[in-house]
Structures are given as structure tokens and as C-alpha cells.
Amino acid sequence: MGARMLTNVKHAVGRYIANAVLPNGLYCFNYHRIGEASLTEYDPNVFSCDEANFSEHMEYIKQHFTIITLDDISIILNGKIRDKRYALITFDDGYIDNYTKAFPILLENKISATFFLATNFMNNAEIPWWDRIAYLVRHAQVDEIKLNNWPDSITLSKEDVPTSIRKVLDVVKINNGSTIEEILIELEQKLQIPDSKLMDQEPLFMTWDMAREMSAAGMEFGSQTCSHRIMSHLRIEEQDYEAKTSKELIEKELNTSIKAFAYPVGGKDSFTPETVKIIKKYYQISFSFISGINTSKNLDEFCIERISVDSNCNATQLSHKLLKLLLRKVHKSVWK
């Protein structure tokens, strides 16, 4: 048996096992960008997969899950979460390729997805802080960087730019007392960027007209704040402003009611109990970026876990990821 055939058999067996043992519950598949990560001047790590793999994912999810919309969530959370294997498709940030590449595939498969928008970026009003940082790291004139509040320096590799970008962003996401604006200024200085003006490229984010077209076609929308700054890094008044203002603007532009929120960055340290209190004032549910399968009948509807789709995985690899999440969940419950 050739190596390629053996690999195909292993993938098929792994996919079969995953589909056979995955429990009923709510699976929230989360995407960011769709396209070729190698072609961007900005952060390649926010690319979930290319169009071919996204299309394959949708076919796989249609085959093995009951796909739902935000309107179904309240019913499912009301004691029915274990009735079926449910899938919710979500997108964060509102990149333009969500419209140009993902939207046609969703229509072709008759799937409604939920898009969480950071309103400051709509109509390409501004480039987000993580993409600005990625651009600066990509064009760095030094081999090492350490900002004032960082505990250690980071080595920058020209041979592996995506990893260098990820390392810098991982440190930035830790609240070290500096604002994003202060970090950007310091990075520009210490990376010795010859021209701090970002390249004039194709628009990064969708327009309100695109979002209106998607909404009319059955896509749903939620908020991911105005600026996509990490909520736990902000004062209470700033968090309230971000949650309230973004909701009001999306509702005005799309002429629809917004009930769902996704925490920017979304890890366990990116929002606090105070953040949740604010979100409860304006929204019915909210989503984290904590990785997991939602199976508990006592699920916290303001910390719904999601499954990050990344690394340009194919459908078989996605099924393996689900199996690993299940094994981790079982392991945690056994050792509680």
C-alpha cells in the first residue's frame, strides 16, 4: 500500500470515528478570513482556510450536523441542547473576503452564517490594530524587539514571519498597562520602520452595502464592539460604550435587531465578570473564543464556546480537531 493511499485510509478511518462518537450538543464553528494567507501584507494567522477547504467544510457540516441560526439558539439552550448535533457557523471581524469568498459558498449550500462586526472597520474606515502590528513586524529593520513593559525580548525571523507576528501579538494581548495606541507608536520606533504609512492595498473590510445584501439573503449579524479592543483592557465606561454604540450602529445600518455579541480576542482573560454584566444589558447571548463543544444543559449563554477553524485544514482534519476537543472534554470531566 502506497504512502498516499495509507494516508487516505487513515483520514477516512479518523473521520468515521469522529462522526461516530461525537456527542449531541452545540458546535459553533468560528472563521475569520477566507483566502490565501501567503498573499497578505498583514496578519496571515487570521486566515481560517481557502475557498476550496471552506466549501468542503460546509458540505461536511451539512452532512453530519443540524445547522441552526441565532434564532434557534434560545430554543436549544432551553433544555434541548442534547437533542441533536447542532452547528452554528460564525465569522469574526467582518473582513471583505467574508463577502467576496465565503458568502457565495454559503448561498450555494443554503447555509445561514452569523457575522460579528467591529464597526470601526466597516467601509474600510481603519486598519485593525493586529493587522497594523503584523505589517510593522513584517517590515521590521531589526532582528529583535522588546517594548518597555515586556518581560522578555522576542527574536524576529525573516524565514518564518507568521510565527514572529504571532509571538508579538501574543504578548500584546496580555494586559501590561499600555494601550494599543501606545504599543503601535513604540513598535514603529523600535522596529525602525522606514515609512510608517501602511501600504495602500485592496480594502480589507466589507462595506455596509455588502452587509445589507448579505442580511437580505438570510445572513445574520452580531457585534464585536467598535474598535475590537480587548474588553478586559478597557475601563468600565469604555466597555459600555463599545458594546452599546456598536449595537446601535449595526441596527441602524442593517435595519434589524442585534441580539448576539462576540468578545474581541475572546480568551478567558479577555473579558471579566464586569464585562459580562455590561453585555447582558444590551444582548441576549454572547460568544467567547474559548475552544470547546457545548453540551451542558446548564450552559452559560454569555460564554458560549466556539471551535476555531484555522491552519487551512480540510474537512477530515476538521473532524480530527473535533475528536481532540471531545477527548480533552472527557479527560477534564474524569479528573475533576
Side-chain angles (χ1 to χ4, degrees):
M1 183 181 293
R4 186 180 183 84
M5 184 178 293
L6 181 61
T7 299
N8 289 339
V9 170
K10 285 168 63 179
H11 284 175
V13 170
R15 188 163 170 169
Y16 173 80
I17 293 172
N19 295 332
V21 304
L22 289 175
N24 288 348
L26 175 59
Y27 295 69
C28 299
F29 295 92
N30 186 233
Y31 295 84
H32 286 82
R33 299 199 67 177
I34 303 297
E36 299 290 341
S38 61
L39 301 181
T40 185
E41 278 288 303
Y42 297 107
D43 186 3
N45 301 304
V46 293
F47 281 82
S48 297
C49 60
D50 58 26
E51 290 168 272
N53 279 326
F54 181 66
S55 182
E56 192 178 312
H57 295 175
M58 295 304 101
E59 292 174 9
Y60 165 74
I61 292 170
K62 277 174 62 177
Q63 184 178 355
H64 297 287
F65 297 82
T66 298
I67 300 177
I68 61 167
T69 65
L70 284 179
D71 287 336
D72 301 314
I73 292 282
S74 59
I75 299 170
I76 291 165
L77 298 186
N78 190 24
K80 296 181 182 292
I81 195 168
R82 295 181 188 164
D83 286 5
K84 294 180 181 179
R85 199 187 285 162
Y86 299 105
L88 182 72
I89 312 298
T90 68
F91 283 79
D92 284 358
D93 306 334
Y95 280 100
I96 195 168
D97 48 66
N98 294 181
Y99 171 79
T100 59
K101 297 179 179 177
F103 180 43
I105 294 170
L106 291 166
L107 288 179
E108 182 182 340
N109 285 277
K110 297 181 172 59
I111 293 174
S112 175
T114 299
F115 297 81
F116 292 102
L117 305 178
T119 56
N120 284 6
F121 309 146
M122 298 297 289
N123 289 353
N124 213 40
E126 66 179 69
I127 296 170
W129 54 267
W130 62 92
D131 276 328
R132 291 176 64 88
I133 289 171
Y135 179 89
L136 294 173
V137 171
R138 186 180 294 278
H139 294 276
Q141 302 299 300
V142 297
D143 299 323
E144 191 175 76
I145 178 68
K146 181 182 183 302
L147 299 195
N148 292 333
N149 290 333
W150 289 7
D152 303 298
S153 60
I154 293 176
T155 301
L156 305 178
S157 169
K158 292 295 184 186
E159 288 70 40
D160 189 359
V161 174
T163 297
S164 295
I165 291 170
R166 186 183 293 114
K167 285 180 179 178
V168 172
L169 285 171
D170 284 346
V171 178
V172 169
K173 290 172 185 176
I174 300 170
N175 190 359
N176 58 15
S178 299
T179 66
I180 289 295
E181 291 77 12
E182 290 168 341
I183 290 170
L184 282 165
I185 292 170
E186 192 177 354
L187 275 173
E188 283 192 28
Q189 294 171 346
K190 293 195 172 177
L191 292 176
Q192 300 177 16
I193 306 299
D195 182 359
S196 62
K197 186 178 185 300
L198 294 177
M199 291 181 65
D200 183 19
Q201 289 196 321
E202 293 294 316
L204 276 178
F205 289 86
M206 67 174 77
T207 66
W208 287 114
D209 282 342
M210 292 172 185
R212 280 187 278 271
E213 181 185 340
M214 295 167 73
S215 179
M219 302 298 135
E220 296 185 301
F221 290 86
S223 166
Q224 204 169 22
T225 71
C226 302
S227 67
H228 202 287
R229 288 180 295 170
I230 299 170
M231 294 290 265
S232 61
H233 295 191
L234 304 178
R235 299 191 308 274
I236 294 299
E237 315 85 71
E238 291 177 305
Q239 293 187 51
D240 191 280
Y241 174 86
E242 292 272 354
K244 180 174 184 286
T245 307
S246 58
K247 180 179 189 290
E248 290 174 345
L249 182 56
I250 297 170
E251 289 182 334
K252 176 187 173 186
E253 291 286 350
L254 302 186
N255 192 28
T256 188
S257 177
I258 298 301
K259 66 182 74 172
F261 182 87
Y263 302 106
V265 178
K268 60 184 178 63
D269 297 323
S270 64
F271 58 98
T272 66
E274 289 73 26
T275 309
V276 175
K277 287 180 184 177
I278 291 168
I279 299 308
K280 285 181 177 179
K281 288 167 53 179
Y282 304 112
Y283 302 89
Q284 297 174 23
I285 54 173
S286 56
F287 295 82
S288 72
F289 199 54
I290 298 169
S291 188
I293 302 166
N294 303 282
T295 58
S296 172
K297 287 189 176 180
N298 300 315
L299 175 69
D300 181 357
E301 65 268 35
F302 287 92
C303 187
I304 300 174
E305 295 181 350
R306 294 191 286 175
I307 299 152
S308 174
V309 183
D310 48 36
S311 304
N312 200 27
C313 64
N314 58 35
T316 297
Q317 292 165 329
L318 180 59
S319 70
H320 293 174
K321 184 183 184 80
L322 299 178
L323 186 57
K324 287 178 183 177
L325 284 174
L326 173 61
L327 292 174
R328 189 181 73 185
K329 190 179 185 74
V330 169
H331 182 266
K332 283 174 65 177
S333 64
V334 168
W335 290 100
K336 265 189 177 179

